[in-house]
Amino acid sequence: HYAFFPGNPKWPDSKSHLTYAFLPGTRADAINPVVRAFQTWAANTHFSFSRTQDYTNADITISFESRDHADGNPFDGPDGTLAHAFAPTNGRFHYDADEQWSVSVTPGAYHLETIALHEIGHLLGLHHSSVEGAIMYPTFMAGESKGLHGDDIQGIRALY
Ligand code: TQI
Ligand code: CA
Ligand code: ZN
Ligand code: ZN
């Protein structure tokens, strides 16, 4: 079953359109997978998203970071933590730059789009789910891909 962060933080109901921006230096091959992940969430929730170049004013920013990157949650090099995102309305989504990332499903690499679906769930206010098929279920392996599940969509509908 879906879950929320303590205190149920969420975007204001008046704010169903969110902008996102990639920080300068984001690897070019990550852009399309992240765009597709936002499109999937938009198709299944009341949210809409648009990409902006104005990264200082975007609601959500995406970047690749390595080791200590000044947000109190240092990455750990290869394996371990792959990515993280913060609860609403922080809007920061970081990939660990030291992982093997892939655009297509590739043995031994992490699927950029699947991880984006999971991290965007956090950005919108979902915590981890106990439903195995859910994108918010807290287990994921290299060389695998997943999509949204009814449990993820029900979670967003229950929060908003
Ligand atoms: N990163 C963790 C995650 O995104 C970071 C994290 C731990 C976290 N607890 C949290 C983020 C609570 C928000 C709220 O869950 S991770 C998965 C999993 C990770 C894990 O790199 O371990 C996925 C990234 F566990 F679901 F498979 C993506 Cl899909
Ligand atoms: Ca890591
Ligand atoms: Zn970070
Ligand atoms: Zn998670």
Side-chain angles (χ1 to χ4, degrees):
H1 201 265
Y2 56 76
F4 309 130
F5 288 90
N8 300 352
K10 56 187 277 195
W11 296 88
D13 290 325
S14 58
K15 204 164 165 61
S16 59
H17 184 79
L18 301 175
T19 59
Y20 65 93
F22 297 92
L23 295 193
T26 301
R27 47 187 285 180
D29 65 351
I31 291 177
N32 286 139
V34 173
V35 168
R36 284 196 295 270
F38 277 112
Q39 286 169 346
T40 299
W41 275 110
N44 289 284
T45 62
H46 69 292
F47 283 105
S48 57
F49 303 97
S50 59
R51 183 181 167 194
T52 173
Q53 306 293 332
D54 181 7
Y55 59 85
T56 57
N57 291 306
D59 298 307
I60 293 167
T61 58
I62 301 107
S63 60
F64 283 75
E65 307 289 345
S66 185
R67 303 289 182 175
D68 186 12
H69 54 282
D71 65 7
N73 294 80
F75 282 133
D76 51 4
D79 299 315
T81 301
L82 314 172
H84 56 221
F86 296 85
T89 50
N90 174 293
R92 274 177 304 171
F93 166 8
H94 297 153
Y95 283 107
D96 186 340
D98 293 327
E99 305 299 339
Q100 285 264 110
W101 293 108
S102 65
V103 175
S104 57
V105 177
T106 306
Y110 291 102
H111 191 238
L112 284 158
E113 184 175 348
T114 299
I115 299 297
L117 282 172
H118 181 95
E119 298 306 334
I120 293 166
H122 287 316
L123 292 172
L124 297 179
L126 293 179
H127 209 290
H128 291 144
S129 172
S130 58
V131 174
E132 242 187 88
I135 196 71
M136 299 314 295
Y137 186 73
T139 302
F140 183 73
M141 293 192 309
E144 201 180 64
S145 76
K146 270 173 99 171
L148 289 192
H149 182 282
D151 180 71
D152 304 305
I153 297 159
Q154 282 166 31
I156 290 293
R157 296 218 172 123
L159 180 59
Y160 289 92

